[in-house]
Amino acid sequence: MSDSAAPGVYSKTDRGAGKLADYRYDLVPRNGKVTITLAGSDAFQDELAELAKEETLQSFIAPRTIEEERTDAPMPVRFFTGRRMTGIVGWVPSGLEPAVIEALARLEGRTDNRIPIEIVKRKGKLRVNLLMGATR
């Protein structure tokens, strides 16, 4: 799958996870433990294995263009490392885009203006979690 490829239909174990019930009406996470697991990470296991060794990983989620908003295009997630920006490592699961967009808007003026991430191993596969609770 290339960087520019839109995500397709994911297996049951690669659909991502998270729920809007974890957010208040203003889309602020209810507590510091709220996470979103990215969808579509199976295709990027080799890259995630290399990135898991990095000490300075930061998320990079580009704002949607007007055209992407109109077509409800998926939101790709990349990482900044100490040296470079990676390719896509997953997508925000469908329906959770508003929570991510609101978090990015809240973080805009801060010095730590990225959504923190973690790479975890779950059921033999590497997964990417956005640590949404840290954006409160």
Side-chain angles (χ1 to χ4, degrees):
M1 185 179 288
S2 71
D3 261 8
S4 61
V9 177
Y10 304 116
S11 69
K12 184 177 180 182
T13 59
D14 196 27
R15 290 186 187 149
K19 52 189 176 213
L20 284 177
D22 289 339
Y23 300 86
R24 296 190 304 236
Y25 72 94
D26 54 359
L27 293 177
V28 173
R30 291 189 183 275
N31 61 57
K33 296 179 183 179
V34 175
T35 63
I36 293 175
T37 302
L38 297 183
S41 293
D42 278 357
F44 309 109
Q45 292 297 297
D46 292 339
E47 185 164 10
L48 288 173
E50 287 299 313
L51 289 169
K53 300 172 190 172
E54 295 279 338
E55 290 184 26
T56 56
L57 285 177
Q58 296 179 322
S59 66
F60 175 77
I61 305 169
R64 284 180 166 183
T65 64
I66 293 171
E67 181 61 29
E68 289 171 333
E69 281 293 333
R70 188 175 339 182
T71 60
D72 197 26
M75 291 181 74
V77 178
R78 295 175 170 85
F79 293 150
F80 277 131
T81 68
R83 303 177 306 271
R84 65 182 176 97
M85 186 164 72
T86 70
I88 295 171
V89 295
W91 283 268
V92 174
S94 182
L96 294 171
E97 296 95 341
V100 172
I101 291 167
E102 181 59 32
L104 292 172
R106 266 194 321 276
L107 294 172
E108 195 170 317
R110 296 185 191 174
T111 55
D112 58 340
N113 61 355
R114 304 271 183 218
I115 297 173
I117 56 94
E118 67 180 352
I119 298 174
V120 296
K121 193 163 197 165
R122 201 172 285 137
K123 296 184 181 180
K125 299 273 184 143
L126 294 171
R127 298 289 176 230
V128 178
N129 288 337
L130 297 176
L131 306 178
M132 300 300 289
T135 67
R136 297 173 50 159

